[in-house]
Amino acid sequence: MSTINLSDFSTTFNDTVERDLYFYRALSAKDSRFDGVFFAGISTTGIYCRPVCRVKIPRASSCHFFDSAAAAEVAGFRPCLRCRPELAPYALQQNLAYAVWQRIAAGALNDAGIEALALQVGLSSRQLRRVLLQQFGVTPVELAQTQRLLFAKKLLQETHLSMAEVAYAAGFGSVRRFNALFATRYKMAPGSIRRTASEESEGLVLRLAYRPPYAWDALMAYLRGRAMPGLEAVLDHDGIYSYIRTVQLEGKTGWLQITHVPDKQQLALKVAPALSTVLMPLIAKVRQLCDLEANPVVIQSHLANDPLLAAQIDRTPGLRVPGAFDVFELAIRAVLGQQVSVAGATTVSGRLVQRFGEVTSTPFAAIGFHFPSPARLAQLSVEDIAQIGVPKSRAATIQNVARFALDGGLQRQLGLNFDEVVTQLKTVVGIGEWTAQYIALRALRYPDAFPAGDLALQKAAAVLPEVRLTEKQLHQRANAWSPWRAYAALLLWQSLSKESKDGK
């Protein structure tokens, strides 16, 4: 029998026996690269675990493997209290089923029904059900129930929220329904797994896992240079970096702070208590901002075939694509970065925030404003916006983007492919190829987005330092980096370090 390569995540299996053997080897190795890729249900205990669980390895005959936590729970297994499946990073792929899963995990079915979600993704409710059954073996309702229960379990074990607060934060309509489903699915009362969480006077602290390696310092350096003053900042406490920002989400306001816990391969997210009812969508945004679903082994093994990228991978293993907490914010920041330096774009973005944003209170001196809403910017005159120090043509583009956002143009439409999304963005007057690609890369999370017109990328990809590639030449070279061209772009930008002067 041939050896199965544990680093080959694209393996296809001839039958279930071969697949189970493959996963059992990963489980036996406690291989963190497979965390979130599959879950193991143990028939002798009735519990399902992550591949990294530190319990004694069960016999292969006792193991049943599932592609999702929801499938394991529908099969009758309950989550392990030691490895905590709710901490596993998602095994998200670029397909419709996983995109729907991501929306459900963010609470899409908490306040709306399946028909509303189906309408959002461009499917009928029957098609939506079929897509999830084919991919995960569960219905939308079963998937939503699992996500709510796991999220409630997370809050019970990590926060001091009351049982009622936990139930509502996890999307349950009542504490009674929460208690009943928890007892039915997990065969225990919610209070039995409650852990004593530290009483944080300034906020709630939650843990978010990732697949190592993770280039945290590089991510912080990127965000620090582009943080909009008054809205967000990167703090440095003796070389320990954290990201802070104000939050305005679904009518709730507050703040958040993200720090790195490398020994646990996690991020610690502290949020204002006032945001407890919107934790599900908030965490989804943080996961996108910090690119927590990335699988660096898969991405780097492909990009390392290019010697230029391989050298930078060795210097910054686990480099992530910095995302955006809010698509509209990033779109405006991209417009402000057109044809100016990073520092210049940061300066004018701070003026925009502090002149037109809403004042708020936070425990951090560096942040005290919310980003102006699309409605606020759309109603301003071009002359008003231009006063922050931008040409009137760019001020008009900001207006156009605001109106585009109000019409729903910045909401990711799952029925459109990447090229269609870029084309749609370019219908906004003032948005060209570079800006559209950059928005797609960071805000809309397309891993193959690549702004080939970027001068810094053209310089970084050239063999000789005194020359740069043309846009056409860079496109041709970047073809080999697909479908991870966004990560290639970050590696190239990182290779230039502080030398890059173009607005990103």
Side-chain angles (χ1 to χ4, degrees), residues 327-329 331-332 335 352 371-380 385 394-410 428-429 431:
V327 176
F328 178 65
E329 286 179 10
I332 296 298
V335 170
L352 180 83
F371 196 82
S373 68
R376 169 72 170 135
L377 293 182
Q379 71 182 10
L380 293 172
I385 298 174
R394 194 149 305 136
T397 301
I398 290 173
Q399 268 194 341
N400 296 336
V401 172
R403 291 165 182 157
F404 185 67
L406 288 173
D407 291 336
L410 291 179
V428 179
V429 177
I431 298 293

Side-chain angles (χ1 to χ4, degrees), residues 48 69-70 73 79 85-86 145-155 186:
Y48 73 96
E73 293 198 7
E86 69 273 11
Q145 287 179 337
T146 297
Q147 294 302 133
R148 290 176 191 141
L149 285 171
L150 288 176
F151 193 75
K153 179 176 176 292
K154 178 182 183 68
L155 297 180
Y186 295 163

Side-chain angles (χ1 to χ4, degrees), residues 332-483:
I332 296 298
R333 178 63 177 77
V335 170
L336 293 172
Q338 293 173 343
Q339 300 177 337
V340 298
S341 68
V342 172
T346 297
T347 298
V348 295
S349 66
R351 292 174 189 161
L352 180 83
V353 167
Q354 295 172 42
R355 182 165 299 187
F356 305 120
E358 180 182 338
V359 177
T360 188
S361 176
T362 76
F364 306 100
I367 56 173
F369 294 86
H370 293 302
F371 196 82
S373 68
R376 169 72 170 135
L377 293 182
Q379 71 182 10
L380 293 172
S381 68
V382 169
E383 289 73 19
D384 287 337
I385 298 174
Q387 288 178 8
I388 65 173
V390 297
K392 288 186 178 180
S393 59
R394 194 149 305 136
T397 301
I398 290 173
Q399 268 194 341
N400 296 336
V401 172
R403 291 165 182 157
F404 185 67
L406 288 173
D407 291 336
L410 291 179
Q411 296 177 8
R412 182 167 177 175
Q413 300 177 41
L414 302 186
L416 298 181
N417 61 38
F418 170 64
D419 290 334
E420 290 171 331
V421 168
V422 170
T423 298
Q424 187 179 64
L425 287 171
K426 287 161 59 178
T427 63
V428 179
V429 177
I431 298 293
E433 182 71 16
W434 180 90
T435 309
Q437 290 282 346
Y438 189 72
I439 294 171
L441 183 151
R442 287 196 57 194
L444 299 179
R445 312 303 298 152
Y446 283 96
D448 210 29
F450 190 77
D454 185 85
L455 300 182
L457 291 181
Q458 293 168 10
K459 176 183 177 182
V463 177
L464 299 175
E466 63 272 14
V467 300
R468 76 168 192 260
L469 301 181
T470 65
E471 183 172 349
K472 181 178 180 180
Q473 289 171 332
L474 182 54
H475 258 305
Q476 291 174 340
R477 181 164 189 182
N479 285 336
W481 304 332
S482 186

Side-chain angles (χ1 to χ4, degrees), residues 151-175:
F151 193 75
K153 179 176 176 292
K154 178 182 183 68
L155 297 180
L156 287 169
Q157 295 185 278
E158 296 181 17
T159 75
H160 54 269
L161 292 174
S162 69
M163 203 63 70
E165 289 174 319
V166 167
Y168 289 116
F172 290 95
S174 68
V175 177

Side-chain angles (χ1 to χ4, degrees), residues 61-217:
S61 59
S62 300
C63 296
H64 304 270
F65 298 102
F66 303 93
D67 294 329
S68 69
E73 293 198 7
V74 168
F77 293 93
R78 60 187 186 277
C80 176
L81 296 180
R82 179 174 296 185
C83 69
R84 300 182 56 198
E86 69 273 11
L87 284 177
Y90 300 151
L92 293 178
Q93 302 171 11
Q94 293 299 308
N95 66 34
L96 181 60
Y98 278 93
V100 173
W101 178 19
Q102 192 172 32
R103 294 198 179 192
I104 291 176
L109 292 182
N110 290 352
D111 299 315
I114 295 176
E115 292 290 347
L117 177 60
L119 184 63
Q120 290 178 19
V121 301
L123 299 174
S124 68
S125 58
R126 181 177 299 179
Q127 289 172 322
L128 180 64
R129 178 186 174 90
R130 186 188 312 124
V131 164
L132 293 182
L133 281 171
Q134 289 175 344
Q135 184 74 51
F136 306 117
V138 297
T139 67
V141 171
E142 289 168 338
L143 181 56
Q145 287 179 337
T146 297
Q147 294 302 133
R148 290 176 191 141
L149 285 171
L150 288 176
F151 193 75
K153 179 176 176 292
K154 178 182 183 68
L155 297 180
L156 287 169
Q157 295 185 278
E158 296 181 17
T159 75
H160 54 269
L161 292 174
S162 69
M163 203 63 70
E165 289 174 319
V166 167
Y168 289 116
F172 290 95
S174 68
V175 177
R176 181 178 179 181
R177 289 178 59 188
F178 165 53
N179 288 335
L181 185 60
F182 199 99
T184 300
R185 188 77 70 87
Y186 295 163
K187 311 302 180 187
M188 63 180 77
S192 65
I193 66 168
R194 177 122 241 182
R195 294 182 181 176
T196 304
S198 59
E199 290 283 344
E200 290 282 347
S201 60
E202 294 183 339
L204 308 170
V205 179
L206 299 164
R207 296 154 56 192
L208 308 177
Y210 60 80
R211 295 181 188 86
Y214 194 108
W216 174 254
D217 287 356

Side-chain angles (χ1 to χ4, degrees), residues 237-249:
H237 296 291
D238 298 323
I240 306 299
Y241 301 106
S242 66
Y243 172 85
I244 59 174
R245 64 159 292 134
T246 61
V247 173
Q248 200 167 31
L249 183 62

